[in-house]
Amino acid sequence: MSSVPTETAHKVLAEALGRLVLVKLRQGKTLRGKLKSFDMHLNIVLDDAEEEMEDGSWRRLGTVLIRGENVVMLSPIQ
Amino acid sequence: MSSVPTETAHKVLAEALGRLVLVKLRQGKTLRGKLKSFDMHLNIVLDDAEEEMEDGSWRRLGTVLIRGENVVMLSPIQ
Amino acid sequence: MSSVPTETAHKVLAEALGRLVLVKLRQGKTLRGKLKSFDMHLNIVLDDAEEEMEDGSWRRLGTVLIRGENVVMLSPIQ
Amino acid sequence: MSSVPTETAHKVLAEALGRLVLVKLRQGKTLRGKLKSFDMHLNIVLDDAEEEMEDGSWRRLGTVLIRGENVVMLSPIQ
Amino acid sequence: MSSVPTETAHKVLAEALGRLVLVKLRQGKTLRGKLKSFDMHLNIVLDDAEEEMEDGSWRRLGTVLIRGENVVMLSPIQ
Amino acid sequence: MSSVPTETAHKVLAEALGRLVLVKLRQGKTLRGKLKSFDMHLNIVLDDAEEEMEDGSWRRLGTVLIRGENVVMLSPIQ
Amino acid sequence: MSSVPTETAHKVLAEALGRLVLVKLRQGKTLRGKLKSFDMHLNIVLDDAEEEMEDGSWRRLGTVLIRGENVVMLSPIQ
């Protein structure tokens, strides 16, 4: 089992730089945007960010700085 | 992918100084105001701040000090 | 942009000493009172403090010590 | 403004020792009792403590040790 | 006022060892049992512990280890 | 009172190794299983774990790793 | 009782690398996916991750980075 390569969280984030990611926050919000930066606390900056509305549509937010503590999960959009 | 420049959270904040920002708090509150200062914990001071009411209107608060721990996200208003 | 003077959270608090401030807490409570002291954790002491009731009236509390962790935001009342 | 004397949280607590205080907790509970001790984390011991019931009456608890993390605010009863 | 003896939280706990205590937890649960041990984080072990049910009855749990972080308050039962 | 022997939390856990324990989590979940390991943060591994359903039945989970921060209390099943 | 071997949390995780795991989060979400990596804070990366919907179906998410703080429990799917 130890032969399975360990893909670190950092690698997932580094590879997602400049790409579209989906971010779920603690308060139930979902955002998507282009990942501009991140740090070890998962503070992230998204560019061209949008926030999912209750009716399923997306509202434009522009550049957004998200405090890492509120991030539940992040997923690159393929 | 490593050629994508990493825009740090600090840079986003530094560039937003003196400009209008939208701040979303954990408790579901949304504020906007002119960013006067910030620190590494995301404690921020807004000038000419307003708080969004439930009917979508904005109530004037003046100068407001926000404890960073309550900040979910911050976005410069373009 | 770096020419915009950074007004620190500390300065806002120091200037509010002895003046009336509005304090919003995590639990949805709103208090107002004369700012008597504060520390770096935003533990604050209000004098002649009042708590906002659900009907919009204010109930007198006297001197109140508030644990900083519960403070969402603080605003000098002009 | 710097001539306004800063009354520290510690002083408020030290002066309240042996006196009746009102304590509001995060969970919405309100207690009152004689302040027997406190520490820097706001862990407090109340003597002859009572807990406010939903109908506005008070139930006797005796000596109570309260974990500071749950304290929202504390106010000496005049 | 400084002549009022400060009874520390530790002393309250030490004196309650082997005696019946009431423990209120963050989630609204109430337990009672014989205090077998405690540490500085308020992690506690109760023996012959019981949990209060919604109908006011008590359900037997036996020995229970409670994580201090969940303790709101602890009171010796006289 | 100091003659009452202090049974530490660690001793309760060490004696429960290999035995059935009941674990209550912050989110209201209740699990039971054979205690395989624990650490000082109360991160625990249960074997043959089951989760209590709302109808009072138990659903099999197998081996489960529980993050200590979510543990409210743990009780050996006698 | 001390002869019972202690299976550490780390061992459970290391053995689950490359295998399917079930992850329950604080917000009530349940995910499953192939465990690609983990660290000591239980930050984990799942590959081919899916999120359980309210109707019991599973929605594809792809690669997901989960912040450890939100993990309640993790269980290898046998």
Side-chain angles (χ1 to χ4, degrees):
Chain A
M1 209 47 80
S2 59
S3 62
V4 177
T6 300
E7 179 181 21
T8 65
H10 184 278
K11 192 176 158 213
V12 171
L13 289 165
E15 287 182 359
L17 277 175
R19 290 173 52 199
L20 216 55
V21 294
L22 192 78
V23 181
K24 301 210 175 195
L25 304 182
R26 275 200 198 165
Q27 291 75 17
K29 275 191 210 305
T30 300
L31 275 77
R32 67 180 182 199
K34 208 158 51 169
L35 184 62
K36 292 286 281 183
S37 81
F38 65 90
D39 66 17
M40 56 172 290
H41 302 293
L42 228 47
N43 296 318
I44 59 184
V45 177
L46 297 183
D47 215 358
D48 302 326
E50 296 173 302
E51 180 186 358
E52 194 176 27
M53 299 286 99
E54 290 196 15
D55 63 4
S57 66
W58 294 85
R59 188 171 57 137
R60 228 187 103 67
L61 288 171
T63 298
V64 176
L65 166 57
I66 303 171
R67 232 177 151 253
E69 212 180 63
N70 301 289
V71 175
V72 175
M73 57 195 202
L74 179 151
S75 183
I77 299 175
Q78 284 133 340
Chain B
M1 210 43 83
S2 59
S3 63
V4 177
T6 300
E7 180 180 20
T8 65
H10 184 277
K11 192 176 159 216
V12 171
L13 289 165
E15 287 182 0
L17 277 176
R19 290 173 51 201
L20 216 57
V21 294
L22 191 79
V23 181
K24 301 211 175 194
L25 303 182
R26 274 200 199 166
Q27 292 74 19
K29 276 191 209 305
T30 300
L31 275 77
R32 66 179 183 200
K34 207 157 52 168
L35 184 63
K36 293 286 282 184
S37 81
F38 64 90
D39 66 17
M40 56 172 290
H41 303 292
L42 228 46
N43 296 318
I44 58 184
V45 177
L46 297 183
D47 215 357
D48 302 326
E50 295 173 303
E51 179 185 359
E52 194 175 26
M53 299 286 98
E54 290 196 15
D55 62 5
S57 66
W58 295 85
R59 188 171 58 137
R60 231 186 99 68
L61 288 172
T63 298
V64 175
L65 166 57
I66 302 171
R67 231 177 152 255
E69 213 180 61
N70 301 288
V71 175
V72 174
M73 58 195 202
L74 180 151
S75 183
I77 299 175
Q78 283 133 339
Chain C
M1 210 45 80
S2 60
S3 63
V4 177
T6 301
E7 180 181 20
T8 65
H10 184 276
K11 191 176 161 217
V12 171
L13 289 165
E15 286 182 0
L17 276 176
R19 291 172 52 200
L20 217 55
V21 295
L22 192 79
V23 181
K24 301 211 175 193
L25 304 183
R26 274 199 198 166
Q27 293 74 18
K29 277 192 207 304
T30 301
L31 274 78
R32 66 180 183 199
K34 207 158 52 169
L35 185 62
K36 292 286 283 185
S37 81
F38 65 90
D39 66 18
M40 56 171 290
H41 303 292
L42 229 44
N43 295 318
I44 58 184
V45 177
L46 298 182
D47 215 358
D48 302 326
E50 295 172 304
E51 180 185 358
E52 193 175 28
M53 300 286 98
E54 290 196 14
D55 62 4
S57 66
W58 294 85
R59 187 171 58 135
R60 228 186 103 68
L61 288 171
T63 298
V64 175
L65 166 57
I66 303 171
R67 230 176 153 254
E69 214 180 60
N70 300 289
V71 175
V72 174
M73 58 195 201
L74 180 152
S75 184
I77 300 175
Q78 283 133 341
Chain D
M1 210 44 81
S2 60
S3 63
V4 176
T6 300
E7 180 181 19
T8 64
H10 184 276
K11 190 175 161 218
V12 171
L13 288 166
E15 286 181 1
L17 276 176
R19 290 173 53 200
L20 217 55
V21 294
L22 192 78
V23 181
K24 301 211 174 193
L25 304 183
R26 274 200 198 166
Q27 294 73 18
K29 277 191 207 303
T30 301
L31 274 78
R32 66 180 182 200
K34 207 158 53 168
L35 184 62
K36 292 286 284 185
S37 81
F38 64 89
D39 66 18
M40 56 171 291
H41 303 293
L42 229 46
N43 296 318
I44 59 184
V45 177
L46 298 182
D47 214 357
D48 302 326
E50 295 173 303
E51 180 185 358
E52 195 176 27
M53 299 287 98
E54 290 196 16
D55 62 4
S57 67
W58 294 84
R59 188 171 57 137
R60 228 187 104 65
L61 288 172
T63 298
V64 175
L65 166 58
I66 302 171
R67 233 177 150 253
E69 214 180 60
N70 301 287
V71 175
V72 175
M73 59 195 200
L74 179 151
S75 184
I77 300 175
Q78 284 134 341
Chain E
M1 210 46 80
S2 60
S3 63
V4 177
T6 301
E7 179 181 20
T8 64
H10 184 276
K11 191 176 160 216
V12 171
L13 288 166
E15 286 182 2
L17 276 176
R19 290 174 53 199
L20 217 55
V21 294
L22 191 79
V23 180
K24 300 210 176 195
L25 303 183
R26 274 199 197 166
Q27 293 73 19
K29 278 192 207 304
T30 301
L31 274 77
R32 67 181 183 200
K34 209 158 52 168
L35 184 62
K36 291 287 283 185
S37 81
F38 65 90
D39 66 18
M40 55 170 293
H41 303 292
L42 228 46
N43 296 319
I44 59 183
V45 177
L46 298 183
D47 214 358
D48 302 326
E50 294 173 304
E51 180 185 359
E52 195 176 27
M53 299 286 98
E54 290 197 16
D55 62 5
S57 67
W58 294 84
R59 188 171 57 138
R60 229 188 103 67
L61 288 172
T63 298
V64 175
L65 167 58
I66 303 170
R67 234 178 148 251
E69 214 180 60
N70 301 288
V71 175
V72 174
M73 59 195 200
L74 179 151
S75 184
I77 300 175
Q78 284 135 340
Chain F
M1 209 47 79
S2 60
S3 63
V4 177
T6 300
E7 179 181 21
T8 65
H10 184 277
K11 191 176 159 215
V12 171
L13 288 166
E15 287 182 0
L17 277 176
R19 289 174 53 198
L20 217 55
V21 294
L22 192 78
V23 180
K24 300 209 177 196
L25 303 183
R26 274 199 197 166
Q27 292 74 18
K29 277 192 208 303
T30 301
L31 274 77
R32 67 179 182 199
K34 208 158 52 167
L35 184 62
K36 291 286 283 184
S37 80
F38 64 90
D39 66 18
M40 56 171 292
H41 303 292
L42 229 46
N43 296 319
I44 59 183
V45 177
L46 297 183
D47 214 357
D48 302 326
E50 295 173 304
E51 180 185 358
E52 195 176 26
M53 299 287 98
E54 290 196 16
D55 62 5
S57 67
W58 294 84
R59 186 171 58 138
R60 229 188 103 68
L61 288 172
T63 298
V64 175
L65 167 58
I66 303 170
R67 233 177 149 253
E69 213 180 61
N70 301 288
V71 175
V72 175
M73 58 195 200
L74 179 150
S75 184
I77 300 175
Q78 284 134 340
Chain G
M1 209 46 80
S2 59
S3 63
V4 177
T6 299
E7 179 181 21
T8 66
H10 183 277
K11 191 176 159 214
V12 170
L13 288 166
E15 286 183 359
L17 277 175
R19 290 174 52 199
L20 217 56
V21 294
L22 192 79
V23 181
K24 301 209 175 195
L25 304 182
R26 276 199 196 166
Q27 292 75 17
K29 277 192 209 303
T30 300
L31 274 77
R32 67 179 182 199
K34 208 158 51 168
L35 184 62
K36 292 286 281 184
S37 81
F38 65 90
D39 66 17
M40 55 171 291
H41 303 292
L42 229 46
N43 296 318
I44 59 184
V45 177
L46 297 184
D47 214 358
D48 302 326
E50 295 173 303
E51 180 186 358
E52 195 176 26
M53 300 285 98
E54 290 196 15
D55 62 5
S57 67
W58 294 85
R59 187 171 57 138
R60 229 188 102 69
L61 289 171
T63 298
V64 176
L65 166 57
I66 303 170
R67 234 179 149 251
E69 213 179 63
N70 301 288
V71 175
V72 175
M73 58 195 201
L74 179 151
S75 183
I77 299 175
Q78 285 134 341

